[in-house]
Amino acid sequence: MADRTHSSDGQQGNADITEERDEAATKRPVTIRDIAKKCGVSVATVSKALNGYKDVSMETSRKIRRIAEEMDYHPDPSAILLRTNISHNIGVVFEDDTSSGLVHPFFSVILNSAKKELERLGYDITFISQKMVGDSFLQHVRYRKCDGILIANVNFHAPGIIQLVRSEIPFITIDYQVKNHSCVMSDNEEGSYELTKYLIGHGHRKIAFIHGEDTLVTQKRLAGFYRALKESGIDEDEVSVHDGRYNDPKFNNEIVKEIMNSRNKPTAIMFSDDFSYIGGRRVLRELGYRIPQDVSAVGYDGIDVGQIMEPALTTYRQDAEGIGRLAAQKLIEMVVNRKSSIIEEIGVRGRLLVGETVRDIRNRN
């Protein structure tokens, strides 16, 4: 009998808890009308206070916001979208052929920085896939009702991307400029120029340059490379330029083998990025070459792992955080002020990081 009584009490307790949960679940959401009634002001005044209008006194605005918080008021996203045609949702289109995804050593920092800035400005982000809705980036963007799009590391000649950038939706690109549209560009020409001048300044003339795919980034880095050679009076026949891939050590490692097995071995190798240097470093060691005693090397990007290795990598650190932050800020400006936002190329400079992978051979016999 005692056991049955205990069971009955337990069932009653569970029923009470269930009723409380059901009541909480079905509780009507707080509206601005409820807040207006509680504050003794008009609905219009509450709306203006919550949206930051200046014609509501600071004291009244603070009171309304405090009571709204106490009443656990949350704006209805659907209602906001209907009223303002703004969803506060930004789409991110990012493709990565090396399958490193969100742990991409360079773009992960850019995307994280952009995410933080967008959240600070009151926006969510959605990663846009071509496979989600009708095999189309544009359809997915429209399905998610994105206010704008951040585009990075994509093939801008792909039909899906061309369709996207020709649409009415505001977008910002990183390290690529679509004609008559804004972009954020790392100063790749200056970075490559500084790295090349650093090598030349340490006596290196026989330089092997492994660059990435034929993109605007590569074209600018090549321009910086050749500008440094010309200023220093180095003939292009003294150097070698090789078609590699960005962030693809496996592919670039084969190029390193070809370079070091050739008759005219370089005294220094410029890698397309720090990640590829890490792979090439292992290949050089396997071939019996020491860095920098036998061959010097430089990278590009300035990822942290390159700085904790021994020897520390000499490289050019791109301001990835600055790129992401500025891209987010410009995109929101375009979303909010479509008619007054000007088209601009926003340049972001990096800096040379001097490590221990370049040997000074100016006095070598």
Side-chain angles (χ1 to χ4, degrees):
M1 179 66 70
D3 289 340
R4 285 197 296 271
T5 302
H6 179 75
S7 176
S8 176
D9 291 343
Q11 290 173 0
Q12 182 62 46
N14 290 337
D16 292 340
I17 293 171
T18 303
E19 286 176 5
E20 289 175 3
R21 287 176 178 171
D22 290 344
E23 183 180 351
T26 58
K27 184 180 179 181
R28 180 176 64 82
V30 175
T31 68
I32 60 174
R33 291 185 182 277
D34 299 323
I35 300 171
K37 184 177 180 181
K38 181 84 170 178
C39 295
V41 298
S42 69
V43 170
T45 300
V46 173
S47 179
K48 288 180 178 181
L50 294 178
N51 286 285
Y53 283 78
K54 302 298 183 183
D55 54 347
V56 179
S57 71
M58 187 177 294
E59 183 181 352
T60 301
S61 181
R62 285 176 177 170
K63 177 183 177 182
I64 290 171
R65 289 178 178 276
R66 176 176 55 79
I67 291 178
E69 186 176 349
E70 290 173 358
M71 297 178 72
D72 197 26
Y73 168 73
H74 298 283
D76 181 357
S78 299
I80 294 173
L81 179 59
L82 287 172
R83 186 174 67 253
T84 66
N85 201 31
I86 295 179
S87 67
H88 290 93
N89 184 28
I90 295 297
V92 174
V93 178
F94 170 76
E95 292 188 326
D96 176 26
D97 292 337
T98 63
S99 299
S100 55
L102 295 181
V103 296
H104 191 291
F106 174 60
F107 281 102
S108 62
V109 180
I110 290 179
L111 295 176
N112 189 54
S113 176
K115 175 179 178 291
K116 286 181 179 178
E117 185 64 12
L118 288 168
E119 289 174 345
R120 187 186 72 81
L121 295 170
Y123 288 77
D124 292 323
I125 67 168
T126 298
F127 281 90
I128 302 300
S129 169
Q130 197 169 5
K131 300 175 182 178
M132 288 292 292
V133 182
D135 292 330
S136 166
F137 287 121
L138 181 56
Q139 288 184 40
H140 192 188
V141 166
R142 286 175 173 164
Y143 175 74
R144 296 296 184 184
K145 296 180 173 58
C146 296
D147 296 323
I149 320 160
L150 189 152
I151 306 176
N153 204 47
V154 302
N155 176 8
F156 282 91
H157 301 292
I161 297 298
I162 292 174
Q163 180 191 40
L164 187 60
V165 300
R166 286 179 177 175
S167 73
E168 76 290 354
I169 302 170
F171 67 86
I172 190 86
T173 53
I174 291 176
D175 272 348
Y176 187 92
Q177 186 167 37
V178 176
K179 188 176 181 180
N180 297 325
H181 287 85
S182 293
C183 64
V184 178
M185 302 284 291
S186 179
D187 197 344
N188 286 284
E189 181 175 346
E190 189 64 23
S192 181
Y193 170 82
E194 288 193 29
L195 279 170
T196 309
K197 288 289 285 186
Y198 184 80
L199 288 173
I200 294 170
H202 283 70
H204 297 276
R205 298 175 68 91
K206 295 168 64 176
I207 302 170
F209 183 15
I210 305 174
H211 61 72
E213 297 87 341
D214 185 16
T215 62
L216 182 62
V217 170
T218 296
Q219 292 166 15
K220 291 199 170 190
R221 291 189 189 178
L222 283 169
F225 175 69
Y226 286 120
R227 176 159 62 94
L229 296 180
K230 185 176 181 180
E231 285 184 6
S232 304
I234 297 177
D235 196 293
E236 292 181 14
D237 291 339
E238 295 185 62
V239 303
S240 60
V241 178
H242 307 267
D243 298 333
R245 293 178 183 170
Y246 290 114
N247 294 290
D248 192 343
K250 186 176 180 181
F251 184 90
N252 294 336
N253 285 352
E254 296 303 313
I255 298 175
V256 173
K257 292 176 184 177
E258 292 175 11
I259 291 171
M260 300 311 295
N261 286 327
S262 65
R263 287 186 177 181
N264 192 24
K265 294 180 177 61
T267 60
I269 301 175
M270 292 180 64
F271 285 88
S272 58
D273 52 88
D274 295 352
F275 199 46
S276 293
Y277 161 77
I278 294 170
R281 171 175 175 265
R282 179 179 58 81
V283 170
L284 289 169
R285 286 185 172 181
E286 289 174 354
L287 294 174
Y289 294 97
R290 299 167 299 166
I291 301 173
Q293 293 91 335
D294 302 317
V295 61
S296 294
V298 296
Y300 206 102
D301 287 340
I303 61 176
D304 291 340
V305 67
Q307 300 308 299
I308 62 176
M309 299 177 70
E310 292 186 0
L313 176 62
T314 294
T315 184
Y316 190 81
R317 171 166 284 172
Q318 301 193 73
D319 184 3
E321 290 187 356
I323 292 170
R325 183 178 64 256
L326 291 171
Q329 291 173 355
K330 180 62 180 179
L331 181 57
I332 298 309
E333 176 202 304
M334 294 160 60
V335 168
V336 176
N337 305 307
R338 288 201 185 197
K339 293 183 178 179
S340 60
S341 178
I342 62 171
I343 297 171
E344 57 182 331
E345 178 183 321
I346 302 171
V348 182
R349 294 201 62 170
R351 61 189 178 92
L352 182 70
L353 287 182
V354 177
E356 305 161 330
T357 55
V358 176
R359 181 185 175 192
D360 192 334
I361 61 172
R362 285 175 291 184
N363 300 320
R364 190 174 70 174
N365 293 327

